[in-house]
Structure formats: C-alpha cells, structure tokens
Amino acid sequence: MASDAPSGGSLADRISKPDETKPAETPEAATDNGQTDGAAGQMGGSDLHEPEYTVEVKLSDLQADPNNPLFSVKNFEDLGLDPRILQGLSAMNFRKPSKIQERALPLLMGNPAKNLVGQSQSGTGKTAAFVLNILSRLDLSTEQLQKTPQALILAPTRELARQIVGVIQVMGQFLDGLVIGTAVPADSNARPAKLECSAVVGTPGTVMDMIKKRIMVAAKLKVLVLDEADNMLDQQGLGDQCIRVKALLPKDIQVVLFSATFPTHVHQYASKFAPSANELTLQHEELTVEGIKQLYLDCADEEDKYRTLVQLYGLLTVGSSIIFVKTRASATEIEKRMVAEGHTVASLTGGIEGSQRDAIIDQFRAGQAKVLITTNVLARGIDVSTVSMVINYDIPELHQPPGRERQADFQTYLHRIGRTGRFGRVGVSISFVSNREEWNMLNQIQKYFNTDIQRIDTKDWDEVEDIIKKTIKNPRSQATFGR
C-alpha cells in the first residue's frame, strides 16, 4: 500500500502539527510575490504560497536545448505575450512567474504546441499557467472566431469549472471579443442553445453530450486541458467520458494534464491520453509543513456525532468551515436539523440543481454562509480563503464489496483536509469516530501518512474550545472576506 503514497508534490507533505511549522512570513515577504491561484482574489481565493521547490522537467524531445533562453522564464514579458494579457496579469497582481510557471510556460507555449503532463498541488500557479497558454493561443480577430470554441478545459465538478471560468475572466478581461462558455449540467428546465464562445470550461459528461448534439462545435479546438487529471482519469465513468470526449476532438490538439498526485497506474494512463508529452514535477526540497492541525473526537454513536457537531457550532463560525459527510441524505438531514434549531448552515451536494449550487457556493465564498455541509463533490480544487476548519463527520472510505473490511480513502482524506490550511495559513481538521470500524479507518490514515491525529476529550468543552481557538486564531490562519 505504501508504494502508492503520494510523492513529494502532494498535500501529504503538508500534514503535520502547526507547532512544527516554520515561522510565518513577514508581511513584506508575503506581498513580494503578490499572486493568487485557484479562485481569483475577487472570488475570495487564497494567496499563492511558495516554499522551496525543485521543478523536475522530463522532456519528450531529446533535442530540446536547456540553454535556450526560453527553457525557463523569469518574467512574463519574456514570453512575447499580447500586452492586453500582460495587463490582465498585472490586474491579478501577478508580478513574476511562480516556480511551476517558470518551467511550464515555455513548454506549454512553444510552437509547434506539445503535450504536457504536470504534477503540482493547488497554490503553485498551475491554473494561471494553463489559462495563460490558452489565452495566448486564441484567435479573436473576427466575430466568427470569437464564437468558435478554440480551447476546452475539463474539470471533475461544476464548482471547480466555475472557479476556472473566474480566473479566465479576470486574466482575459482586457481581450476584446473573449467569450467564455460553460458546459456543466443545466437545470432540468433549461433549454440547450448553441455554445458560441472562444473558450469552454466544463465537466466531461456534459461536454460529450453537447458535442454529440452539435450544441458545441469541436472542429476548431486547439487546446484540451484536464484539471485534477488523476481524479478525472481514475474515476470510473469520468475516465471513460474523458476518452470519449478526446475521440471527438481534432487529432492534433494540444493535451495538457495537471494534477496534485499521479499514482503509477494513472500516470501510465495519462501518458497514453497525452502521448509524447513533456513532464513536469514539482518536488519539495524538504518536507514543508503548512500547519493542518489534525484532531479527532470520540462519539458514542451517530446521534452523539450530531450533538457534538451542534456543540462545535460556535467554533465553526470563527472563520468558515466545511463539514464532509458520506451521503447526500445525511447532508440534507443535518442541514434540516441544524436550521430548525436556529443555526445558519448551507448544504451543497450533487443532487441539487445547478443554479442553486452556484448560489450556495457564492454565498459561502462571500462569507454570508459560514458553515457548509457537503459530500466529496467539494473535496478537490475548491479554493476559499476563509476556510479555517474541516470536519470529517464521516471518515472518507473506499467503496468495498459487502462483507469486506471498511477501508479509508487516503487521497480523499488528503484533499478534504487540504481545503483548510491553504497556502501557508493554519487550519484545523476534526474527524468524528463513533464505532470500532471508524476507529480502524482513522488508524489506517495515521499509519499511511505517518502522522499523529490528536484525540480531544469532549468531556471538557472548555479545553476543546481552547485547543481549536488557539489554532484558528493564529495570525497565519486569518483571511479577509471578498478581497
């Protein structure tokens, strides 16, 4: 099992206790880089935080010349970008390329275009890297071209797709004629129209459907990006859909895959999906600990879990919190009960109609709703700067045949707790344990990541509050709403 552990560039490197963290950056150091990743600052996204990284590059073309001046770029200006794109970067406070961008951009933007497989976790500038490549390749010279899809970005969830749209909108705000379309599941009463735009961001199933129904024309597409590619290619259904979508696209399309982790079997799959690709891996030179304080609470049974959650409510609203549950039904049930008791919470699951989901995540980003109950639909990629606490109401587990021992889902655990402690801030994750099987799964997680998850005793709530408040009130956990 250990051989599947995520490598250097994964969230696993961040798991430890805050008291082992490096001192917080001084404000001067923090503002030096200035850029944001994931959701744009206007959407409440987080700051880019760069520890020391080595970027390993594996070139598919052995003739590639490392002495070429564009082998690595230190300034965006060196890339020969349209001045209006540079203006967009400046508006986003992007002053200089991040480590991943230094190496990725010359590889992405070279001509003729080459495929790229990049391993790099959230907060390293990957969203901006692939958006920059797309904007530089769009031809917006005629009205017809502005309405013709030329780039396609696939993401595993509607929420991540919308977040990426936000980044394109901000970065491309000075480009005349840039039209961005979304291909995500529509509300059941929405009537599909022709997709007239230059860039499309969507989920695989909807994109496939739109191409087949001729709502979206794929003939002129030049770039295909898969964000969270390991999840997309490994997940049953999504992987098949991605392959079917690719089969409907032009054969010479540039394929770009980005992911935080690439387990071996997914990596083999990725190299078939993006043949002859340049490869880029972000390695930590040393273990960097960015302060996710992991705790667990013993609960007597399911009902006690709920009572414990209600007792925690006051702490959940210090910043923003995400509560992860196993099923849509339990998310709805917990929301109903908490609202009936006068608590303000929102619930977001895959069962909710699209426009309603959009409204809920927007409220949460803006800080109007401080507590969000969700399933794994939000475990990946979502960047909300104010999240200081994650609750694993149900420990994430792999689907097993009936009768088999329950098995913790390590990758989902990592991605869930990675919603907090984003980019150098401190965060808390609390897992609820209510029976022997859940206790076993928690032990599997501790063993797999070689980490201690600290028990907190619910008999003394003053102490519980003290432990949690001390962490989330640390200056490094603070974030402002709607920057």
Side-chain angles (χ1 to χ4, degrees), residues 90-115:
S90 181
M92 290 180 84
N93 209 10
F94 277 48
R95 302 209 183 102
K96 60 187 175 64
S98 68
K99 299 270 196 319
I100 196 94
Q101 290 161 0
E102 282 181 10
R103 287 302 179 81
L105 289 168
L107 297 176
L108 277 170
M109 294 172 64
N111 282 313
K114 295 216 60 160
N115 295 344

Side-chain angles (χ1 to χ4, degrees), residues 59-107:
L59 297 167
S60 63
D61 180 4
L62 295 173
Q63 303 303 307
D65 177 12
N67 300 315
N68 182 311
L70 280 190
F71 187 71
S72 176
V73 287
K74 296 295 179 195
N75 297 295
F76 290 115
E77 289 76 8
D78 296 343
L79 292 162
L81 292 166
D82 183 313
R84 293 168 302 174
I85 298 177
L86 287 172
Q87 211 179 337
L89 285 168
S90 181
M92 290 180 84
N93 209 10
F94 277 48
R95 302 209 183 102
K96 60 187 175 64
S98 68
K99 299 270 196 319
I100 196 94
Q101 290 161 0
E102 282 181 10
R103 287 302 179 81
L105 289 168
L107 297 176

Side-chain angles (χ1 to χ4, degrees), residues 13-310:
D13 294 348
R14 301 167 39 187
I15 295 194
S16 197
K17 296 176 279 298
D19 48 24
E20 293 170 14
T21 57
K22 293 181 179 175
E25 286 187 272
T26 59
E28 292 79 14
T31 54
D32 181 48
N33 199 311
Q35 67 173 297
T36 56
D37 184 45
Q42 291 88 326
M43 294 170 66
S46 300
D47 291 323
L48 182 84
H49 173 80
E50 278 219 294
E52 280 308 301
Y53 292 121
T54 303
V55 181
E56 290 184 5
V57 181
K58 187 173 155 196
L59 297 167
S60 63
D61 180 4
L62 295 173
Q63 303 303 307
D65 177 12
N67 300 315
N68 182 311
L70 280 190
F71 187 71
S72 176
V73 287
K74 296 295 179 195
N75 297 295
F76 290 115
E77 289 76 8
D78 296 343
L79 292 162
L81 292 166
D82 183 313
R84 293 168 302 174
I85 298 177
L86 287 172
Q87 211 179 337
L89 285 168
S90 181
M92 290 180 84
N93 209 10
F94 277 48
R95 302 209 183 102
K96 60 187 175 64
S98 68
K99 299 270 196 319
I100 196 94
Q101 290 161 0
E102 282 181 10
R103 287 302 179 81
L105 289 168
L107 297 176
L108 277 170
M109 294 172 64
N111 282 313
K114 295 216 60 160
N115 295 344
L116 179 77
V117 175
Q119 180 180 344
S120 153
Q121 72 266 43
S122 294
T124 52
K126 67 183 170 69
T127 312
F130 65 67
V131 168
L132 203 52
N133 175 52
I134 282 171
L135 292 180
S136 68
R137 292 192 185 279
L138 294 179
D139 181 351
L140 305 173
S141 57
T142 68
E143 201 178 326
Q144 186 52 49
L145 285 167
Q146 292 164 13
K147 292 179 178 177
T148 306
Q150 298 171 51
L152 171 62
I153 301 170
L154 294 178
T157 63
R158 174 192 190 92
E159 285 68 33
L160 187 53
R162 286 184 75 232
Q163 184 171 290
I164 294 165
V165 167
V167 175
I168 304 173
Q169 281 169 339
V170 181
M171 200 183 287
Q173 63 186 296
F174 301 106
L175 284 173
D176 300 327
L178 172 65
V179 187
I180 307 152
T182 45
V184 293
D187 292 357
S188 43
N189 58 359
R191 204 173 289 157
K194 197 169 167 64
L195 206 55
E196 296 188 324
C197 55
S198 28
V200 180
V201 188
T203 49
T206 305
V207 168
M208 185 170 66
D209 201 37
M210 285 185 164
I211 295 174
K212 284 186 170 167
K213 288 181 177 166
R214 308 236 167 119
I215 295 167
M216 175 180 162
V217 177
K220 301 283 185 198
L221 284 170
K222 305 176 200 174
V223 188
L224 168 67
V225 176
L226 263 65
D227 196 14
E228 299 290 342
D230 66 333
N231 182 244
M232 301 270 273
L233 295 175
D234 197 27
Q235 207 179 88
Q236 270 188 324
L238 272 183
D240 295 341
Q241 287 168 348
C242 288
I243 287 171
R244 286 195 200 120
V245 167
K246 190 173 174 244
L248 300 170
L249 308 183
K251 296 285 167 272
D252 59 348
I253 196 164
Q254 180 188 26
V255 182
V256 178
L257 309 180
F258 266 115
S259 182
T261 53
F262 273 114
T264 313
H265 66 289
V266 181
H267 190 270
Q268 288 162 350
Y269 196 1
S271 50
K272 284 184 189 143
F273 195 88
S276 309
N278 292 320
E279 289 185 32
L280 220 135
T281 312
L282 198 67
Q283 297 284 8
H284 281 63
E285 281 173 5
E286 56 182 289
L287 202 65
T288 60
V289 180
E290 294 168 11
I292 300 171
K293 176 106 176 169
Q294 295 172 92
L295 309 167
Y296 78 91
L297 287 171
D298 267 329
C299 306
D301 49 30
E302 282 296 314
E303 186 54 34
D304 192 33
K305 269 190 187 181
Y306 177 74
R307 282 195 298 268
T308 305
L309 186 66
V310 170

